[in-house]
Amino acid sequence: MVGMRIKRLRIKKGYSINELSEKSGISKSYLSYIERGIQQNPSLQVLSRLANTLDTDVEDLLDNKKKEEIIELQNIDDDWIQLVHEAIQNGITKKDFAYYLDFIKFKKLNGGNDH
């Protein structure tokens, strides 16, 4: 799904949805619809803007099985996989995890070097 691909690339670049919206000229609400799969067929113009902003091309946005991502997933070490399983078992949701990541980024940006 194109929305999941865009979200993955956005996160990989370290952009919030607001940042991607500003950089690409696509509204935040429309980006949210795309990422959540509500809007599954964005126009070529929208895809082109997003691809340029994310340093990729439209073909890559539309390709769900890009080799690079498959290899990347295969290279996740067992400690990370175990950590994710443990978090899920302890009731941590994706929303909770995203909040923790945002908190850590905020701390690092504001001089916190606890990690």
PDB file of all heavy atoms in Angstrom, residues 1 5 8-9 12 14 17 21 24 36 41-42 44 47 66 74-75 86 90 94 101-102 111:
ATOM      1  N   MET A   1       0.847  -1.183   0.000  1.00  0.00           N
ATOM      2  CA  MET A   1       0.000   0.000   0.000  1.00  0.00           C
ATOM      3  C   MET A   1       0.894   1.248   0.000  1.00  0.00           C
ATOM      4  O   MET A   1       1.846   1.355   0.763  1.00  0.00           O
ATOM      5  CB  MET A   1      -0.912  -0.031   1.228  1.00  0.00           C
ATOM      6  CG  MET A   1      -1.820   1.146   1.320  1.00  0.00           C
ATOM      7  SD  MET A   1      -3.221   0.926   2.408  1.00  0.00           S
ATOM      8  CE  MET A   1      -2.429   1.119   3.979  1.00  0.00           C
ATOM      9  N   ARG A   5       4.087   2.825   2.591  1.00  0.00           N
ATOM     10  CA  ARG A   5       5.418   3.090   2.023  1.00  0.00           C
ATOM     11  C   ARG A   5       5.835   4.535   2.293  1.00  0.00           C
ATOM     12  O   ARG A   5       6.961   4.806   2.696  1.00  0.00           O
ATOM     13  CB  ARG A   5       5.376   2.792   0.525  1.00  0.00           C
ATOM     14  CG  ARG A   5       6.653   3.093  -0.187  1.00  0.00           C
ATOM     15  CD  ARG A   5       7.514   1.855  -0.327  1.00  0.00           C
ATOM     16  NE  ARG A   5       8.678   2.170  -1.101  1.00  0.00           N
ATOM     17  CZ  ARG A   5       9.879   2.384  -0.561  1.00  0.00           C
ATOM     18  NH1 ARG A   5      10.053   2.285   0.717  1.00  0.00           N
ATOM     19  NH2 ARG A   5      10.894   2.695  -1.316  1.00  0.00           N
ATOM     20  N   ARG A   8       6.634   4.935   6.005  1.00  0.00           N
ATOM     21  CA  ARG A   8       7.926   4.320   6.320  1.00  0.00           C
ATOM     22  C   ARG A   8       9.084   5.229   5.891  1.00  0.00           C
ATOM     23  O   ARG A   8      10.032   5.440   6.642  1.00  0.00           O
ATOM     24  CB  ARG A   8       8.033   2.962   5.622  1.00  0.00           C
ATOM     25  CG  ARG A   8       8.512   1.873   6.540  1.00  0.00           C
ATOM     26  CD  ARG A   8       8.536   0.508   5.877  1.00  0.00           C
ATOM     27  NE  ARG A   8       7.187  -0.004   5.692  1.00  0.00           N
ATOM     28  CZ  ARG A   8       6.699  -0.486   4.555  1.00  0.00           C
ATOM     29  NH1 ARG A   8       7.438  -0.563   3.479  1.00  0.00           N
ATOM     30  NH2 ARG A   8       5.477  -0.932   4.481  1.00  0.00           N
ATOM     31  N   LEU A   9       8.993   5.758   4.666  1.00  0.00           N
ATOM     32  CA  LEU A   9      10.038   6.643   4.166  1.00  0.00           C
ATOM     33  C   LEU A   9      10.093   7.943   4.967  1.00  0.00           C
ATOM     34  O   LEU A   9      11.177   8.462   5.253  1.00  0.00           O
ATOM     35  CB  LEU A   9       9.821   6.947   2.680  1.00  0.00           C
ATOM     36  CG  LEU A   9      10.106   5.791   1.728  1.00  0.00           C
ATOM     37  CD1 LEU A   9       9.597   6.127   0.326  1.00  0.00           C
ATOM     38  CD2 LEU A   9      11.592   5.482   1.687  1.00  0.00           C
ATOM     39  N   LYS A  12      11.760   7.154   8.210  1.00  0.00           N
ATOM     40  CA  LYS A  12      13.174   6.884   7.952  1.00  0.00           C
ATOM     41  C   LYS A  12      13.957   8.187   7.767  1.00  0.00           C
ATOM     42  O   LYS A  12      15.099   8.301   8.197  1.00  0.00           O
ATOM     43  CB  LYS A  12      13.305   5.994   6.715  1.00  0.00           C
ATOM     44  CG  LYS A  12      14.687   5.468   6.456  1.00  0.00           C
ATOM     45  CD  LYS A  12      14.674   4.479   5.304  1.00  0.00           C
ATOM     46  CE  LYS A  12      16.044   3.904   5.055  1.00  0.00           C
ATOM     47  NZ  LYS A  12      16.031   2.943   3.940  1.00  0.00           N
ATOM     48  N   GLY A  14      13.151  10.889   9.221  1.00  0.00           N
ATOM     49  CA  GLY A  14      13.048  11.634  10.468  1.00  0.00           C
ATOM     50  C   GLY A  14      12.063  12.791  10.412  1.00  0.00           C
ATOM     51  O   GLY A  14      12.108  13.698  11.244  1.00  0.00           O
ATOM     52  N   ILE A  17       4.784  14.267  10.317  1.00  0.00           N
ATOM     53  CA  ILE A  17       3.815  14.465   9.232  1.00  0.00           C
ATOM     54  C   ILE A  17       3.710  15.957   8.900  1.00  0.00           C
ATOM     55  O   ILE A  17       3.538  16.338   7.752  1.00  0.00           O
ATOM     56  CB  ILE A  17       2.451  13.817   9.565  1.00  0.00           C
ATOM     57  CG1 ILE A  17       1.650  13.606   8.277  1.00  0.00           C
ATOM     58  CG2 ILE A  17       1.689  14.605  10.593  1.00  0.00           C
ATOM     59  CD1 ILE A  17       0.536  12.608   8.395  1.00  0.00           C
ATOM     60  N   SER A  21       4.503  17.616   5.262  1.00  0.00           N
ATOM     61  CA  SER A  21       3.472  18.475   4.689  1.00  0.00           C
ATOM     62  C   SER A  21       4.064  19.801   4.227  1.00  0.00           C
ATOM     63  O   SER A  21       3.846  20.232   3.092  1.00  0.00           O
ATOM     64  CB  SER A  21       2.372  18.728   5.730  1.00  0.00           C
ATOM     65  OG  SER A  21       1.466  19.696   5.268  1.00  0.00           O
ATOM     66  N   SER A  24       6.651  19.275   1.240  1.00  0.00           N
ATOM     67  CA  SER A  24       6.094  18.802  -0.030  1.00  0.00           C
ATOM     68  C   SER A  24       4.973  19.691  -0.574  1.00  0.00           C
ATOM     69  O   SER A  24       4.622  19.592  -1.739  1.00  0.00           O
ATOM     70  CB  SER A  24       5.554  17.375   0.135  1.00  0.00           C
ATOM     71  OG  SER A  24       4.440  17.368   1.014  1.00  0.00           O
ATOM     72  N   ARG A  36      -2.918   6.511   6.220  1.00  0.00           N
ATOM     73  CA  ARG A  36      -3.850   5.597   6.894  1.00  0.00           C
ATOM     74  C   ARG A  36      -4.654   4.739   5.921  1.00  0.00           C
ATOM     75  O   ARG A  36      -5.443   3.895   6.338  1.00  0.00           O
ATOM     76  CB  ARG A  36      -4.803   6.380   7.801  1.00  0.00           C
ATOM     77  CG  ARG A  36      -4.070   7.003   8.984  1.00  0.00           C
ATOM     78  CD  ARG A  36      -5.002   7.690   9.947  1.00  0.00           C
ATOM     79  NE  ARG A  36      -5.576   8.879   9.326  1.00  0.00           N
ATOM     80  CZ  ARG A  36      -6.803   9.326   9.569  1.00  0.00           C
ATOM     81  NH1 ARG A  36      -7.586   8.717  10.420  1.00  0.00           N
ATOM     82  NH2 ARG A  36      -7.250  10.411   8.971  1.00  0.00           N
ATOM     83  N   ASN A  41      -5.502   6.278  -3.741  1.00  0.00           N
ATOM     84  CA  ASN A  41      -5.075   6.599  -5.099  1.00  0.00           C
ATOM     85  C   ASN A  41      -4.745   8.080  -5.259  1.00  0.00           C
ATOM     86  O   ASN A  41      -5.429   8.801  -5.974  1.00  0.00           O
ATOM     87  CB  ASN A  41      -6.177   6.208  -6.104  1.00  0.00           C
ATOM     88  CG  ASN A  41      -6.421   4.725  -6.095  1.00  0.00           C
ATOM     89  OD1 ASN A  41      -5.492   3.950  -6.251  1.00  0.00           O
ATOM     90  ND2 ASN A  41      -7.671   4.332  -5.895  1.00  0.00           N
ATOM     91  N   PRO A  42      -3.683   8.543  -4.596  1.00  0.00           N
ATOM     92  CA  PRO A  42      -3.312   9.948  -4.771  1.00  0.00           C
ATOM     93  C   PRO A  42      -2.879  10.207  -6.210  1.00  0.00           C
ATOM     94  O   PRO A  42      -2.418   9.303  -6.908  1.00  0.00           O
ATOM     95  CB  PRO A  42      -2.148  10.149  -3.800  1.00  0.00           C
ATOM     96  CG  PRO A  42      -1.686   8.795  -3.419  1.00  0.00           C
ATOM     97  CD  PRO A  42      -2.784   7.838  -3.688  1.00  0.00           C
ATOM     98  N   LEU A  44      -0.828  11.615  -9.513  1.00  0.00           N
ATOM     99  CA  LEU A  44       0.575  11.539  -9.896  1.00  0.00           C
ATOM    100  C   LEU A  44       1.328  12.778  -9.418  1.00  0.00           C
ATOM    101  O   LEU A  44       2.473  12.693  -8.985  1.00  0.00           O
ATOM    102  CB  LEU A  44       0.700  11.384 -11.416  1.00  0.00           C
ATOM    103  CG  LEU A  44       2.108  11.223 -11.961  1.00  0.00           C
ATOM    104  CD1 LEU A  44       2.804  10.017 -11.327  1.00  0.00           C
ATOM    105  CD2 LEU A  44       2.073  11.074 -13.468  1.00  0.00           C
ATOM    106  N   LEU A  47       2.033  12.264  -5.722  1.00  0.00           N
ATOM    107  CA  LEU A  47       3.077  11.249  -5.569  1.00  0.00           C
ATOM    108  C   LEU A  47       4.441  11.804  -5.968  1.00  0.00           C
ATOM    109  O   LEU A  47       5.447  11.515  -5.320  1.00  0.00           O
ATOM    110  CB  LEU A  47       2.742  10.005  -6.401  1.00  0.00           C
ATOM    111  CG  LEU A  47       1.573   9.175  -5.901  1.00  0.00           C
ATOM    112  CD1 LEU A  47       1.259   8.055  -6.889  1.00  0.00           C
ATOM    113  CD2 LEU A  47       1.846   8.607  -4.515  1.00  0.00           C
ATOM    114  N   LYS A  66      10.012  -3.565  -2.423  1.00  0.00           N
ATOM    115  CA  LYS A  66      11.346  -3.090  -2.745  1.00  0.00           C
ATOM    116  C   LYS A  66      12.388  -3.937  -2.026  1.00  0.00           C
ATOM    117  O   LYS A  66      12.315  -4.135  -0.821  1.00  0.00           O
ATOM    118  CB  LYS A  66      11.477  -1.617  -2.345  1.00  0.00           C
ATOM    119  CG  LYS A  66      12.708  -0.950  -2.849  1.00  0.00           C
ATOM    120  CD  LYS A  66      12.688   0.522  -2.507  1.00  0.00           C
ATOM    121  CE  LYS A  66      13.981   1.161  -2.946  1.00  0.00           C
ATOM    122  NZ  LYS A  66      14.106   2.503  -2.427  1.00  0.00           N
ATOM    123  N   GLN A  74      15.183  -8.298   7.148  1.00  0.00           N
ATOM    124  CA  GLN A  74      15.878  -9.532   7.467  1.00  0.00           C
ATOM    125  C   GLN A  74      17.079  -9.294   8.358  1.00  0.00           C
ATOM    126  O   GLN A  74      17.524 -10.191   9.051  1.00  0.00           O
ATOM    127  CB  GLN A  74      16.327 -10.235   6.180  1.00  0.00           C
ATOM    128  CG  GLN A  74      15.176 -10.793   5.379  1.00  0.00           C
ATOM    129  CD  GLN A  74      15.619 -11.320   4.020  1.00  0.00           C
ATOM    130  OE1 GLN A  74      16.679 -10.995   3.521  1.00  0.00           O
ATOM    131  NE2 GLN A  74      14.772 -12.135   3.423  1.00  0.00           N
ATOM    132  N   ASN A  75      17.611  -8.061   8.354  1.00  0.00           N
ATOM    133  CA  ASN A  75      18.799  -7.751   9.126  1.00  0.00           C
ATOM    134  C   ASN A  75      18.518  -7.197  10.520  1.00  0.00           C
ATOM    135  O   ASN A  75      19.440  -6.803  11.219  1.00  0.00           O
ATOM    136  CB  ASN A  75      19.691  -6.767   8.359  1.00  0.00           C
ATOM    137  CG  ASN A  75      20.342  -7.415   7.158  1.00  0.00           C
ATOM    138  OD1 ASN A  75      20.596  -8.611   7.161  1.00  0.00           O
ATOM    139  ND2 ASN A  75      20.597  -6.645   6.130  1.00  0.00           N
ATOM    140  N   GLU A  86       8.250  -8.171  23.577  1.00  0.00           N
ATOM    141  CA  GLU A  86       8.054  -7.904  25.001  1.00  0.00           C
ATOM    142  C   GLU A  86       7.167  -6.672  25.205  1.00  0.00           C
ATOM    143  O   GLU A  86       6.277  -6.666  26.060  1.00  0.00           O
ATOM    144  CB  GLU A  86       9.412  -7.697  25.676  1.00  0.00           C
ATOM    145  CG  GLU A  86       9.331  -7.596  27.177  1.00  0.00           C
ATOM    146  CD  GLU A  86      10.714  -7.472  27.808  1.00  0.00           C
ATOM    147  OE1 GLU A  86      11.692  -8.032  27.256  1.00  0.00           O
ATOM    148  OE2 GLU A  86      10.800  -6.813  28.853  1.00  0.00           O
ATOM    149  N   ASN A  90       3.427  -6.574  26.971  1.00  0.00           N
ATOM    150  CA  ASN A  90       3.166  -5.709  28.115  1.00  0.00           C
ATOM    151  C   ASN A  90       2.138  -4.625  27.815  1.00  0.00           C
ATOM    152  O   ASN A  90       1.969  -3.698  28.600  1.00  0.00           O
ATOM    153  CB  ASN A  90       4.472  -5.089  28.627  1.00  0.00           C
ATOM    154  CG  ASN A  90       5.290  -6.097  29.399  1.00  0.00           C
ATOM    155  OD1 ASN A  90       4.865  -6.565  30.444  1.00  0.00           O
ATOM    156  ND2 ASN A  90       6.448  -6.456  28.872  1.00  0.00           N
ATOM    157  N   LYS A  94       1.130   0.818  19.403  1.00  0.00           N
ATOM    158  CA  LYS A  94       1.916   1.558  18.415  1.00  0.00           C
ATOM    159  C   LYS A  94       1.913   3.045  18.766  1.00  0.00           C
ATOM    160  O   LYS A  94       2.924   3.723  18.625  1.00  0.00           O
ATOM    161  CB  LYS A  94       1.357   1.355  17.008  1.00  0.00           C
ATOM    162  CG  LYS A  94       1.555  -0.039  16.466  1.00  0.00           C
ATOM    163  CD  LYS A  94       0.903  -0.170  15.107  1.00  0.00           C
ATOM    164  CE  LYS A  94       0.864  -1.617  14.675  1.00  0.00           C
ATOM    165  NZ  LYS A  94       0.117  -1.777  13.432  1.00  0.00           N
ATOM    166  N   LEU A 101       9.080   7.458  21.212  1.00  0.00           N
ATOM    167  CA  LEU A 101      10.080   7.893  20.236  1.00  0.00           C
ATOM    168  C   LEU A 101      10.115   9.417  20.128  1.00  0.00           C
ATOM    169  O   LEU A 101      11.186  10.021  20.110  1.00  0.00           O
ATOM    170  CB  LEU A 101       9.805   7.282  18.863  1.00  0.00           C
ATOM    171  CG  LEU A 101      10.100   5.796  18.712  1.00  0.00           C
ATOM    172  CD1 LEU A 101       9.669   5.324  17.331  1.00  0.00           C
ATOM    173  CD2 LEU A 101      11.566   5.510  18.937  1.00  0.00           C
ATOM    174  N   ASP A 102       8.924  10.020  20.066  1.00  0.00           N
ATOM    175  CA  ASP A 102       8.865  11.484  20.003  1.00  0.00           C
ATOM    176  C   ASP A 102       9.482  12.109  21.247  1.00  0.00           C
ATOM    177  O   ASP A 102      10.195  13.106  21.170  1.00  0.00           O
ATOM    178  CB  ASP A 102       7.421  11.966  19.838  1.00  0.00           C
ATOM    179  CG  ASP A 102       6.868  11.708  18.462  1.00  0.00           C
ATOM    180  OD1 ASP A 102       7.664  11.476  17.522  1.00  0.00           O
ATOM    181  OD2 ASP A 102       5.637  11.733  18.306  1.00  0.00           O
ATOM    182  N   GLY A 111      18.968  18.821  24.558  1.00  0.00           N
ATOM    183  CA  GLY A 111      20.192  18.637  25.341  1.00  0.00           C
ATOM    184  C   GLY A 111      20.212  17.460  26.280  1.00  0.00           C
ATOM    185  O   GLY A 111      21.158  17.301  27.035  1.00  0.00           O
TER     186      GLY A 111
END
